Amino acid sequence: MSILRSVTSSRRWRTFLRYAAGSLVATGCSEVVLVAGYGLLGLGPQAASLVAWVAGAVPNYLLNRRWAWRERDRPPVLRELLPYWVITLGTAALAIAATTAADGVVRHAVSDRGERSFLLGVVYLAAYGLVFVIKFVLFDGWVFSAKRSCSTATAVPATESG
């Protein structure tokens, strides 16, 4: 019950909504680059996925850090940057593996590259959709949590003076 209450607290809910909006922007960037790279430029599924990940990862980090979690100071490398990019690279590996596998399946069934690029776009989107909430939980509870936990831990309870 306390987990549900914690997740639905107004501050955390607003953070989640900002995270979701930033994720939509990043996903849009990635999807456009994936479909264009694979369908128009003729990149293979791994190269198209990698370029698409880069196209979405940069705005995603900036939007998450500055907008969703309101971080403005210099990011600590071990507490924030390293865990963030490990999580993000893990999801990139999942998306690259999924699109590569999907390309192997649909390459023989669908001859039109445009149709295949659409199908790969769906698979890429599904891979990121699968980890969307997991990433939020990890970012909120681990990557961007130190400032919140430090300010909570150092707060001195108010006492009545009498």
Side-chain angles (χ1 to χ4, degrees):
M1 183 68 163
S2 66
I3 293 173
L4 180 60
R5 190 176 307 125
S6 173
V7 169
T8 58
S9 73
S10 62
R11 180 182 300 160
R12 185 158 287 146
W13 183 245
R14 286 190 304 267
T15 301
F16 179 78
L17 291 176
R18 289 189 305 265
Y19 163 77
S23 292
L24 284 174
V25 169
T27 299
C29 293
S30 289
E31 284 291 318
V32 167
V33 170
L34 176 80
V35 172
Y38 183 83
L40 299 176
L41 300 177
L43 296 176
Q46 291 173 334
S49 296
L50 182 62
V51 173
W53 171 77
V54 171
V58 172
N60 196 34
Y61 175 72
L62 294 173
L63 289 169
N64 278 332
R65 183 169 206 287
R66 295 189 178 266
W67 191 46
W69 278 275
R70 311 281 194 204
E71 297 284 339
R72 299 282 188 249
D73 52 347
R74 189 172 184 201
V77 173
L78 291 178
R79 184 194 57 80
E80 182 181 313
L81 286 175
L82 183 64
Y84 184 92
W85 289 108
V86 166
I87 293 165
T88 303
L89 285 168
T91 57
L94 173 68
I96 290 169
T99 54
T100 301
D103 183 66
V105 170
V106 299
R107 178 174 296 279
H108 304 292
V110 179
S111 61
D112 183 60
R113 191 162 180 99
E115 290 175 13
R116 285 198 321 259
S117 65
F118 173 78
L119 292 171
L120 288 186
V122 170
V123 169
Y124 187 85
L125 184 62
Y128 276 102
L130 181 69
V131 296
F132 172 75
V133 173
I134 295 167
K135 282 176 68 174
F136 174 78
V137 170
L138 290 173
F139 291 162
D140 192 58
W142 183 32
V143 176
F144 297 114
S145 66
K147 184 183 278 185
R148 265 196 325 270
S149 60
C150 288
S151 64
T152 304
T154 59
V156 176
T159 58
E160 284 188 24
S161 55

